[in-house]
Amino acid sequence: MADVKQIIAHRVAQELQDGYVVNLGIGLPTLVANYVPEGIDISLQSENGIIGMAGVAKGADIDKDIVNSGGVNVNVYPGATFFDSAVSFGIIRGGHVDMTVLGALQVDQEGNIASHIIPGKMAPGMGGAMDLITGAKKVIVAMQHTQKGAPKLFEKISLPATGLKAVNMIVTEMGVIEITDKGFELRELAPGVTVEDIQAATAAPVHVTGEIKEMCMPEE
């Protein structure tokens, strides 16, 4: 069976549409690039100034001068474009990124997200998250549903906010949740997971309207 991160990344990739400009956050979100559906052509954008980014570079393919925003060596596709970070953030702030996929520490039922700092602890910082959350047309949080059994979905975030009323969808190993006027709306459940399971792991009401679909899983 695929591991948790693969399950989440595979499901997020089903939201990609042909022609999208997409920004993938560091960590789990980068795995989404491995599951782009057949026939879908997207352009991966990196905050440090790339459009046309490919996967992580390995071995002889590594070019030390080509890194993503997390400092990881990556490949690029033919025709990729390089530019300075001012232009890159102009693209983001100008609303030209169709979808961003980010991790999170907390998300609440209003779509508020905390993703960049835990007071009193060392953290990598926000990077381009504030700009992406505000500028991207669609914001998907890709994360495990709990942290060592503790909820990450709340009625109200308690950590410093990275963005307010910005999240559209949350994909975890348990299911797919959309943010609506009602709060957390359950759309899909992973195989073997019940509504009761996902509610027990969520520190806010999870609403069910209509049919709940089964979340698609990656092939073995």
Side-chain angles (χ1 to χ4, degrees), residues 20-114:
Y20 264 15
V21 174
V22 181
N23 184 289
L24 302 177
I26 62 174
L28 190 162
T30 62
L31 299 178
V32 173
N34 297 335
Y35 296 101
V36 178
E38 187 175 351
I40 297 295
D41 183 22
I42 64 170
S43 296
L44 290 179
Q45 186 258 0
S46 185
E47 300 100 289
N48 58 320
I50 306 173
I51 285 185
M53 188 170 57
V56 173
K58 298 179 181 179
D61 290 335
I62 291 176
D63 182 331
K64 63 182 180 62
D65 293 322
I66 303 178
V67 298
N68 65 14
S69 57
V72 177
N73 290 105
V74 293
N75 292 316
V76 293
Y77 291 111
T81 304
F82 300 88
F83 34 82
D84 65 30
S85 59
V87 172
S88 187
F89 278 86
I91 291 169
I92 295 168
R93 295 171 184 174
H96 304 294
V97 173
D98 296 290
M99 188 171 103
T100 187
V101 185
L102 302 166
L105 299 167
Q106 297 178 343
V107 181
D108 70 26
Q109 60 188 357
E110 295 181 355
N112 303 319
I113 177 174

